[in-house]
Amino acid sequence: MAELMYWEALRRAHDEEMANDPLVICMGEDIGMAGGTYKATQGLYDKYGAERVIDTPISENGYTGLGIGASFLGLRPIIEIMSVNFAWLALDQLFNSAAKVRYMSGGQLEAPVVVRSPGGVAHQLGAQHSARMEKVFMGIAGLRVVTPSNPRQAYGLLKSAVRCNDPVYINEHELMYNFKGEVPDEEYFHPLEGSEVAREGKDVTLFGYNISVHWCLQAAETLSQQYGIEAEVVDLYALSPLDRAGIRASVNKTHRAVIVEEAEAPVGVGSEVMAIINEECFFELDAAPVRVSAANVPMPYNHTLERAAIPKADDVVAAVRKMFGK
Amino acid sequence: MNVADKKRLLREMLFARRFEERCYEAYVERKIGGFLHLYPGQEACAFGVMEAARPGRDYVITGYRDHVHAIRCGADPKAIMAELYGKETGSSRGRGGSMHIFDVEHHFMGGYALVGGPFPLAAGMAKAIKMKGDDDIAICFLGDAANNQGTFHESLNMAALWELPVLYVCENNLYGIGTRIDRSTAVVEQYKRVSAYGIPSDQIDGQDIEVVFKAAQKAVKHVRSGKGPYFLELLTYRYRGHSMSDSNAYRSKDEEKMWSKRDPIIMLRDRLIEAGEITKDDYKAMDTEILDQIEDDIIAYAESSPEPKVEELEKYVLAENDPWVRGGKN
Ligand SMILES: Cc1ncc(C[n+]2csc(CCOP(=O)(O)OP(=O)(O)O)c2C)c(N)n1
Ligand SMILES: [Mg+2]
């Protein structure tokens, strides 16, 4: 197994899928000649040419719709939206066209596109470059939403997403492209549904996804070493559909749940997971589930305010200690 | 266009007219629900353009006023009526409705309800055609008011930039619902707007099918020969309100009267009668035949078809048993 950076894992998945199928194309702003803002398509323009690695104009709704239309006729576009904040402009085509076309055509037409985009809070990018939009995508029937927390998932999820016949939105993170992790040397396809236990534990389940998985793992170490609490960490790499069975299994084992999200609490992953826990394992609970979420504010520029607005591992530790009265 | 073609087109347009009028009745009878946008008055647009193209092979996409475009591509009118009735035998199995007719087998790639939504989808289909090296083209029919959407400009720019084989047809009926074009649009002549993207265009009489056909031939030839997109503006008029819920109070009687004198079906009919190719009685007989066919075959089919099963409410949301959802062959 080789250790790759997150962006290298994405690049490898792009490259392999383009080599495997001449109908796979990539589209986005600066992804071709310039190699991509986060290098996920570096070198592919030279390798596959301008017809297949397409530098688009800054027309998010337009090129997303163009990719969707191309997918109607069998192309497999991987659309990179430079930042999730700009994806708002493409939601019309993604939601109204891609997500609904199978249903409203009675199964005649499908839109096998992949849209990938980095969200999350980076460093002082301000209100219009710090959106966490996964909550928006995961409420749309007909659209799959996945969010890799490590290079192995980034690689395997993209490969499966390209081959899957549904539209898939891949939620990445501005700060994670240089994260390192092991990726299998052989070809690997990650399931688009389910969840992974990132750390076994018996006392409490910490649910995380994407960057918050790392906060959960950090918190779990502290809880174990300083408080004797063994936390299980469940990585919800699939946000739509969410893994009901996985959520139930872990909560039935630990009887306590904390959901950790970088996003604001209202109408989010946390509220959704909490609802599932309520529906699936209410009588198994030893404590009321808790959310650790971001402040509900447009992201401030000031460094101190920005750090105060989003959770960190210490907040997770504090939430668990409170739950246990420690 | 020879006489046989003209006679066939007369029949096809009359059929489309009667089909739409029957939809109106069925809506009043509450057999059809939702929004219903009808095509009478604009028939020469779809039929004239498609006469110059390859119906069933070229990829056609449009907005919510979509029944007639689908029929012209080869969709079975029975399946369309059944769709309007919400039946399982409908073209979209009752899941789409009037605004979402699809017949992918005949390359009718759908009716879409978001004004301007199909512009980029058409460009994308053209991208796929071009990459596969086929000589098909994509044809996008939309209204005049749709040209004020961002997707219009974004799509024209990309289509021109990448020389995509797409024909944009603007059926300019002078209104977006109740707002007349000069009250919504700075440049009223739509064909001029595309010159900003270096796309060739024409503005022509959309009521005379022979004129439409001729202009479309030129446009289709341009697009099919790999020279990139083309834009056709067809001046036309819809007779009814925008949809069934539209009172149509914003148009003057004089204006309506003026346009009714330029009816695409009547103009073609009278030309054929004048040339001695058909008689008034021939036309009447044809009309009766069509009305009977609509009643006996089409309405009867829609009426007697089964409803979708409630147990299948969630079918068609996602692909069924897609192996890659489970990680494929791992
Ligand atoms: C994005 C969007 N905005 C508004 C509407 C409501 N609407 C439906 S049709 C229409 C007018 C469109 O006029 P035009 O493009 O000229 O087509 P026509 O109906 O005249 O054929 C409007 C405003 C819509 N369906 N989609
Ligand atoms: Mg109009």
Side-chain angles (χ1 to χ4, degrees):
Chain A
M1 260 202 232
E3 195 162 78
L4 292 183
M5 289 208 245
Y6 198 95
W7 72 266
E8 292 172 312
L10 288 168
R11 208 209 74 93
R12 179 179 153 199
H14 277 96
D15 192 5
E16 284 177 10
E17 289 307 298
M18 292 197 78
N20 171 65
D21 181 353
L23 296 177
V24 175
I25 62 171
C26 306
M27 309 170 51
E29 294 158 28
D30 279 339
I31 68 147
M33 216 176 250
T37 311
Y38 302 99
K39 298 187 284 193
T41 51
Q42 196 179 58
L44 302 182
Y45 180 86
D46 290 333
K47 190 165 175 186
Y48 298 103
E51 280 288 307
R52 291 183 64 198
V53 182
I54 305 165
D55 282 312
T56 64
I58 306 165
S59 309
E60 284 78 9
N61 202 35
Y63 66 71
T64 299
L66 191 145
I68 293 163
S71 81
F72 289 174
L73 269 63
L75 261 51
R76 299 254 161 193
I78 306 171
I79 302 166
E80 176 177 300
I81 297 182
M82 194 181 257
S83 154
V84 90
N85 300 269
F86 318 150
W88 288 112
L89 283 82
L91 297 189
D92 160 42
Q93 286 296 332
L94 194 58
F95 292 178
N96 283 315
S97 302
K100 291 173 183 167
V101 77
R102 183 191 301 282
Y103 199 85
M104 67 190 195
S105 70
Q108 290 183 70
L109 201 54
E110 57 193 12
V113 288
V114 179
V115 175
R116 8 179 319 274
S117 190
V121 181
H123 296 301
Q124 293 189 272
L125 299 186
Q128 293 187 334
H129 279 77
S130 303
R132 290 126 293 160
M133 271 172 66
E134 52 278 8
K135 62 169 75 178
V136 177
F137 294 94
M138 62 189 273
I140 304 299
L143 184 68
R144 293 185 175 279
V145 181
V146 295
T147 185
S149 66
N150 58 49
R152 176 180 53 86
Q153 290 181 358
Y155 165 77
L157 285 170
L158 176 54
K159 285 183 64 84
S160 296
V162 169
R163 301 202 183 193
C164 173
N165 286 327
D166 294 317
V168 182
Y169 170 67
I170 304 183
N171 183 64
E172 297 167 6
H173 197 292
E174 296 256 4
L175 290 184
M176 289 171 68
Y177 289 104
N178 288 335
F179 277 28
K180 277 190 188 153
E182 300 218 310
V183 180
D185 295 326
E186 66 279 10
E187 193 171 40
Y188 167 67
F189 295 90
H190 198 285
L192 298 171
E193 292 183 4
S195 59
E196 280 178 353
V197 176
R199 181 189 197 277
E200 298 254 12
K202 59 178 177 39
D203 299 327
V204 57
T205 303
L206 309 179
F207 289 100
Y209 62 95
N210 190 264
I211 201 165
S212 72
V213 171
H214 300 277
W215 305 338
C216 291
L217 288 169
Q218 234 179 302
E221 280 307 305
T222 309
L223 288 167
S224 172
Q225 283 166 19
Q226 296 182 19
Y227 303 97
I229 296 170
E230 291 307 321
E232 176 146 300
V233 177
V234 173
D235 180 341
L236 299 169
Y237 61 79
L239 294 183
S240 182
L242 273 166
D243 184 19
R244 257 176 194 276
I247 292 168
R248 183 177 52 227
S250 187
V251 175
N252 282 354
K253 175 175 155 192
T254 64
H255 310 285
R256 292 169 195 267
V258 176
I259 306 115
V260 186
E261 56 193 345
E262 195 192 23
E264 313 87 327
V267 208
V269 176
S271 26
E272 198 52 39
V273 171
M274 218 181 247
I276 290 174
I277 292 169
N278 202 30
E279 287 159 2
E280 297 283 336
C281 26
F282 182 79
F283 294 105
E284 292 284 339
L285 288 172
D286 286 345
V290 169
R291 283 181 291 185
V292 177
S293 316
N296 195 16
V297 294
M299 194 52 58
Y301 162 72
N302 174 273
H303 178 69
T304 308
L305 291 181
E306 182 188 65
R307 290 305 107 188
I310 54 170
K312 50 192 178 302
D314 286 351
D315 298 323
V316 182
V317 172
V320 174
R321 284 178 59 194
K322 193 171 167 204
M323 184 179 266
F324 282 87
K326 285 190 178 179
Chain B
M1 197 184 279
N2 62 32
V3 172
D5 290 332
K6 287 182 201 169
K7 284 189 187 171
R8 173 178 47 80
L9 283 167
L10 180 65
R11 188 188 182 92
E12 288 174 357
M13 287 200 292
L14 185 59
F15 177 86
R17 174 76 53 90
R18 297 300 186 221
F19 183 92
E20 295 287 83
E21 288 170 347
R22 189 60 183 84
C23 291
Y24 181 98
E25 283 172 36
Y27 192 92
V28 173
E29 293 165 16
R30 294 178 179 266
K31 302 279 186 180
I32 298 175
F35 284 133
L36 180 68
H37 309 81
L38 300 173
Y39 203 56
Q42 303 186 198
E43 291 87 351
C45 300
F47 284 98
V49 170
M50 290 312 293
E51 193 64 13
R54 299 178 191 154
R57 264 191 70 182
D58 290 328
Y59 293 86
V60 173
I61 192 164
T62 188
Y64 40 80
R65 206 180 295 286
D66 56 352
H67 314 163
V68 174
H69 301 84
I71 290 173
R72 184 59 194 102
C73 288
D76 183 350
K78 290 206 295 255
I80 296 175
M81 191 62 82
E83 184 62 31
L84 306 184
Y85 274 61
K87 298 298 181 75
E88 180 68 24
T89 55
S91 39
S92 296
R93 296 187 160 91
R95 271 75 166 176
S98 166
M99 300 188 283
H100 306 306
I101 304 294
F102 286 79
D103 185 346
V104 173
E105 190 193 333
H106 291 101
H107 292 186
F108 180 71
M109 307 304 276
Y112 297 79
L114 277 282
V115 170
F119 284 125
L121 300 174
M125 294 194 297
K127 166 71 188 171
I129 291 167
K130 186 169 175 167
M131 245 186 79
K132 291 177 176 179
D134 298 337
D135 78 338
D136 299 327
I137 65 170
I139 306 177
C140 176
F141 290 90
L142 283 177
D144 45 289
N147 298 347
N148 290 330
Q149 282 287 22
T151 49
F152 173 73
H153 300 276
E154 295 183 11
S155 303
L156 290 176
N157 179 49
M158 291 186 290
L161 180 68
W162 299 324
E163 294 181 333
L164 302 179
V166 53
L167 170 59
Y168 286 108
V169 179
C170 173
E171 300 189 32
N172 182 356
N173 60 14
L174 306 173
Y175 289 84
I177 309 187
T179 304
R180 206 175 57 210
I181 187 163
D182 55 290
R183 296 186 57 243
S184 66
T185 309
V187 175
V188 166
E189 304 205 274
Q190 298 304 298
Y191 76 100
K192 288 185 181 165
R193 300 177 79 183
V194 306
S195 66
Y197 303 100
I199 296 175
S201 62
D202 286 315
Q203 181 193 58
I204 53 156
D205 177 6
Q207 300 308 84
D208 185 333
I209 190 159
E210 294 185 59
V211 173
V212 176
F213 171 65
K214 233 176 154 181
Q217 268 190 315
K218 180 177 152 204
V220 166
K221 193 175 159 197
H222 174 96
V223 175
R224 208 183 295 290
S225 68
K227 292 190 186 128
Y230 202 99
F231 182 88
L232 262 188
E233 178 186 2
L234 311 179
L235 297 175
T236 187
Y237 203 70
R238 65 169 155 72
Y239 291 165
R240 297 201 176 274
H242 167 75
S243 70
M244 293 296 288
S245 46
D246 175 16
S247 65
N248 207 11
Y250 43 82
R251 305 194 299 192
S252 74
K253 289 284 160 260
D254 284 350
E255 182 181 288
E256 289 183 352
K257 210 188 248 165
M258 184 190 89
W259 281 93
S260 69
K261 284 193 193 125
R262 310 215 59 254
D263 185 285
I265 299 173
I266 303 297
M267 287 201 300
L268 180 60
R269 180 198 71 181
D270 290 351
R271 235 174 258 166
L272 284 166
I273 291 174
E274 246 167 65
E277 297 296 346
I278 62 166
T279 64
K280 268 214 151 116
D281 286 344
D282 292 340
Y283 179 80
K284 268 192 196 144
M286 181 167 82
D287 197 7
T288 310
E289 220 176 277
I290 286 170
L291 290 170
D292 288 349
Q293 183 198 348
I294 289 173
E295 221 47 53
D296 302 345
D297 295 351
I298 295 170
I299 293 292
Y301 180 78
E303 291 274 358
S304 64
S305 285
E307 298 269 333
K309 294 194 190 93
V310 173
E311 305 84 79
E312 294 189 343
L313 172 67
E314 291 177 7
K315 213 176 162 180
Y316 311 121
V317 175
L318 293 167
E320 258 170 60
N321 298 320
D322 191 309
W324 304 105
V325 169
R326 300 183 303 277
K329 294 169 288 199
N330 288 326

